């Protein structure tokens, strides 16, 4: 069996089993193959029964669970990226590709947000902009032109839509 990042899975599995159920799982390998199918179903039934019992206890399931931020566009996405990283070992090749694309998109959105915050700060520091006078070492370039060159994209449209 391939090794996967199993801490969340192990925590779930250990919560929804008992020592007696684990003993039955060990016993399963020792009984005749003709009886293993029904015995496996019986074990799963016991796990379901145990899970239903746990669900009736308030706060019994993962009381210290982590929460995802719901605001993808202005919030901190590190929790979502962490979740996507935890899902990667269980994904198919196609799912892996999509998850990596989602992670890249979220990381890029975070970078754009940081750049926009920097631009806002520069606008506050230099309300007249970078005019192009003799004392201007930037030679008439606006902060937007500078950041667009760094980011490799036209940031002015994104910034203008945010400030309105």
């Amino acid at each position: 069996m391939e090794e996967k990042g199993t801490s969340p899975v192990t925590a779930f599995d250990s919560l929804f089993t008992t020592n007696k159920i684990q003993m039955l799982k060990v016993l399963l390998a020792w009984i005749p193959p003709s009886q293993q199918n029904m015995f496996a179903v019986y074990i799963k039934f016991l796990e379901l029964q145990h899970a239903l019992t746990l669900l009736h206890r308030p706060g019994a399931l993962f009381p210290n669970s982590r929460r995802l931020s719901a605001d993808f566009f202005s919030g901190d996405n590190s929790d979502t990226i962490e979740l996507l990283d935890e899902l990667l070992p269980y994904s198919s090749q196609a799912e892996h590709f999509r998850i990596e694309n989602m992670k890249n998109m979220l990381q890029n959105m975070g970078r754009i947000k940081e750049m926009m915050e920097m631009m806002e700060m520069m606008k506050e520091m230099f309300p007249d902009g970078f005019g192009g006078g003799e004392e201007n070492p930037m030679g008439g370039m606006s902060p937007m032109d500078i950041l667009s060159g760094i980011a490799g994209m036209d940031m002015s449209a994104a910034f203008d839509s945010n400030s309105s």
Side-chain angles (χ1 to χ4, degrees), residues 56-76:
H56 292 318
R57 295 183 197 165
L61 299 178
F62 303 107
N64 298 324
S65 64
R66 299 174 285 181
R67 306 220 179 215
L68 290 176
S69 61
D71 190 0
F72 289 116
F73 298 108
S74 64
D76 178 19

Side-chain angles (χ1 to χ4, degrees), residues 55-148:
L55 293 176
H56 292 318
R57 295 183 197 165
L61 299 178
F62 303 107
N64 298 324
S65 64
R66 299 174 285 181
R67 306 220 179 215
L68 290 176
S69 61
D71 190 0
F72 289 116
F73 298 108
S74 64
D76 178 19
N77 294 324
S78 59
D79 54 350
T80 305
I81 293 171
E82 184 180 344
L83 169 64
L84 293 173
D85 282 335
E86 287 185 25
L87 292 174
L88 279 174
Y90 305 102
S91 63
S92 67
Q93 188 173 1
E95 292 167 333
H96 192 279
F97 179 74
R98 284 188 292 243
I99 289 172
E100 286 294 339
N101 283 342
M102 284 190 282
K103 282 178 45 183
N104 289 336
M105 180 190 67
L106 289 171
Q107 289 167 338
N108 287 336
M109 286 179 4
R111 287 186 203 108
I112 289 171
K113 179 181 175 242
E114 289 173 8
M115 282 194 260
M116 289 171 53
E117 289 170 355
M118 183 189 328
M119 289 305 304
E120 194 62 39
M121 183 179 68
M122 290 176 77
K123 279 175 86 174
E124 289 173 10
M125 289 174 56
F126 304 104
D128 295 332
F130 295 108
E134 288 184 26
E135 63 273 353
N136 183 5
M138 304 234 176
M141 291 180 69
S142 73
M144 210 45 86
D145 295 334
I146 297 166
L147 282 180
S148 294

Side-chain angles (χ1 to χ4, degrees), residues 17-36:
T17 195
T18 64
N19 288 343
K20 290 180 183 183
I21 292 172
Q22 289 175 333
M23 290 169 63
L24 292 174
K25 289 179 179 181
V26 171
L27 181 60
L28 178 66
W30 291 85
I31 64 173
S34 63
Q35 297 174 349
Q36 288 178 353

